[in-house]
Amino acid sequence: MAADASGAPASATPVRTGADELGAPPRAAADGPAAPLRTAAELRALSRAPGERRAVVMTMGALHEGHATLIRAARDRVGPYGQVVVTVFVNPLQFGAGEDLDRYPRTLEADLETAWEAGADAVFAPAAEEVYPGGEPQVRISAGPMGERLEGAHRPGHFDGMLTVVAKLLHLTAPDLALYGQKDAQQLALIRRMVRDLDFPVEIVGVETVREADGLALSSRNRYLSAADRAAALGLSRALFAAREAAPLGPAAARKAARETLAARAARSAGGALGGPGAPSDLDAPGTPDSTGTPDGFGGPDGPCASDGPGTPDGSGAPADPGAPDGPGASDASAVRGGPSLVLDYLALVDPADFTEVPDDYRGEAVLAVAAKVGTTRLIDNVLLEFGAER
């Protein structure tokens, strides 16, 4: 590594200088993003002043506004003189047989620009051989029973691969805090559990899901949706928003509202509403949000591991009756058809601590999670609901 005029090793990343008069974060001395760090040695050589906090945002690349929101949140957390490191690594351990490892988009040059503009100091973009120098690791982290539910049931071994690479990247980047998107709710819950159970010295921060103006959760996979697929995909967020409106009435009402919204989407689709140009792209439902919010995380198709989680694959599942009785387990592994292009894997109301289905008399915070295959693209989404709070 080259040395600067003082004789100290030159950093592989730009050095941030003083804040401007408006109090904005200090900008780097260089005019644009630095070359990515490629090796663990380069990452270890990344200097950090005493007392300077470091935040890491793990991604699988193909960065979009959701990731940028995570990076900005990291910058806010560590302050103008803290350090934000973004990782870009498409983790092969998270992809199962028939999943889209080769198809996953790689856009490193654009990713560097996005990360830079959002406030990152460095981007760590290693090759698979650098992360797994001896080939696939023989020792891995097990996600346990929580990793076998919902997404884990549809993607066996996915969460083991996700936690293994998250653990490695936490060791390599040595952050004070790590930020992940709420969109990958099960991934976020598992990372929090791993950090707690294995005593990782890092704070895990969840960031709210970022949505497009029509309510669709931002995902690197949205680029694969046709116009008709996108119209069908809106049924997922509409079902979640309907459940949120019904949440004050309890878990049963929230489940019912979500199912009825999905059934309405299916009925419209069956009548050809999603079949061609000019087809409606919205499903009337209360609570449609605006485009504010926050991002995808590391472990889904959009996160480090890829936030829809790193590398979310095509899914499958047996169709289920959307009008089935409400109750614990009623939505597990269910599927609702919304025309030929929409098949849901599950709609589940779960305890965020272990992702088990909550009963109808449940009180406290819960996650309403949904996963669907829309055309050939698999999408996930969720909302946080609170039951039993005073109105």
Side-chain angles (χ1 to χ4, degrees):
M1 182 174 290
D4 63 18
S6 68
S11 173
T13 64
V15 178
R16 291 187 177 269
T17 57
D20 62 26
E21 295 180 355
L22 298 178
R27 295 307 301 167
D31 294 330
L37 307 177
R38 293 291 195 173
T39 68
E42 290 178 323
L43 186 60
R44 285 192 293 269
L46 186 63
S47 61
R48 178 162 41 159
E52 181 180 71
R53 301 184 78 211
R54 175 182 289 175
V56 65
V57 174
M58 300 181 185
T59 82
M60 290 215 306
L63 302 189
H64 50 62
E65 178 57 26
H67 299 104
T69 302
L70 278 174
I71 297 167
R72 288 192 291 268
R75 171 57 58 200
D76 288 343
R77 283 292 190 121
V78 300
Y81 297 101
Q83 193 174 78
V84 177
V85 176
V86 175
T87 68
V88 174
F89 178 62
V90 181
N91 178 32
L93 299 189
Q94 295 173 222
F95 292 79
E99 294 186 358
D100 54 357
L101 175 61
D102 292 336
R103 185 185 179 211
Y104 198 85
R106 276 106 168 146
T107 58
L108 183 58
E109 290 303 315
D111 293 345
L112 292 172
E113 193 66 36
T114 298
W116 172 261
E117 291 178 355
D121 294 293
V123 172
F124 179 50
E129 294 76 19
E130 180 69 20
V131 178
Y132 305 119
E136 290 195 2
Q138 296 185 37
V139 177
R140 308 187 188 195
I141 291 179
S142 170
M146 191 184 351
E148 298 172 357
R149 299 174 184 134
L150 299 188
E151 282 301 290
H154 290 275
R155 306 180 64 192
H158 165 73
F159 286 123
D160 293 351
M162 180 275 293
L163 289 178
T164 298
V165 80
V166 168
K168 289 208 69 166
L169 290 173
L170 287 175
H171 286 310
L172 289 169
T173 58
D176 298 288
L177 61 156
L179 292 85
Y180 303 91
Q182 178 61 40
K183 177 171 171 285
D184 296 291
Q186 193 170 1
Q187 170 185 280
L188 175 59
L190 281 163
I191 292 172
R192 282 177 166 152
R193 188 67 187 235
M194 177 185 73
V195 165
R196 183 176 69 222
D197 288 354
L198 302 184
D199 294 317
F200 280 69
V202 61
E203 177 188 357
I204 302 301
V205 178
V207 183
E208 184 184 350
T209 302
V210 172
R211 298 186 181 276
E212 299 191 36
D214 57 8
L216 185 68
L218 283 180
S219 168
S220 300
R221 295 173 182 274
N222 290 353
R223 70 185 69 191
Y224 301 136
L225 298 174
S226 67
D229 289 342
R230 185 183 173 87
L234 288 173
L236 307 184
S237 55
R238 296 300 179 269
L240 297 178
F241 305 151
R244 185 171 58 194
E245 290 294 313
L249 301 178
R255 288 188 178 99
K256 181 178 180 182
R259 287 204 187 92
E260 288 181 346
T261 301
L262 288 169
R265 170 66 71 178
R268 290 180 60 182
S269 178
L274 300 178
S281 61
D282 209 332
L283 180 67
D284 293 335
T288 302
D290 60 20
S291 59
T292 61
T294 8
D296 290 330
F298 163 72
D302 300 322
C305 303
S307 184
D308 285 347
T312 303
D314 290 336
S316 60
D321 178 6
D326 293 323
S331 59
D332 276 355
S334 68
V336 179
R337 295 193 178 277
S341 63
L342 173 64
V343 178
L344 266 69
D345 289 338
Y346 58 78
L347 173 71
L349 185 61
V350 299
D351 185 336
D354 58 10
F355 269 64
T356 57
E357 193 85 15
V358 302
D360 286 347
D361 60 353
Y362 179 81
R363 294 294 179 266
E365 189 175 71
V367 175
L368 182 63
V370 64
K373 190 174 181 181
V374 183
T376 60
T377 303
R378 191 167 185 274
L379 302 175
I380 62 173
D381 201 353
N382 69 85
V383 291
L384 292 174
L385 304 176
E386 182 75 24
F387 297 107
E390 292 186 9
R391 287 183 273 169

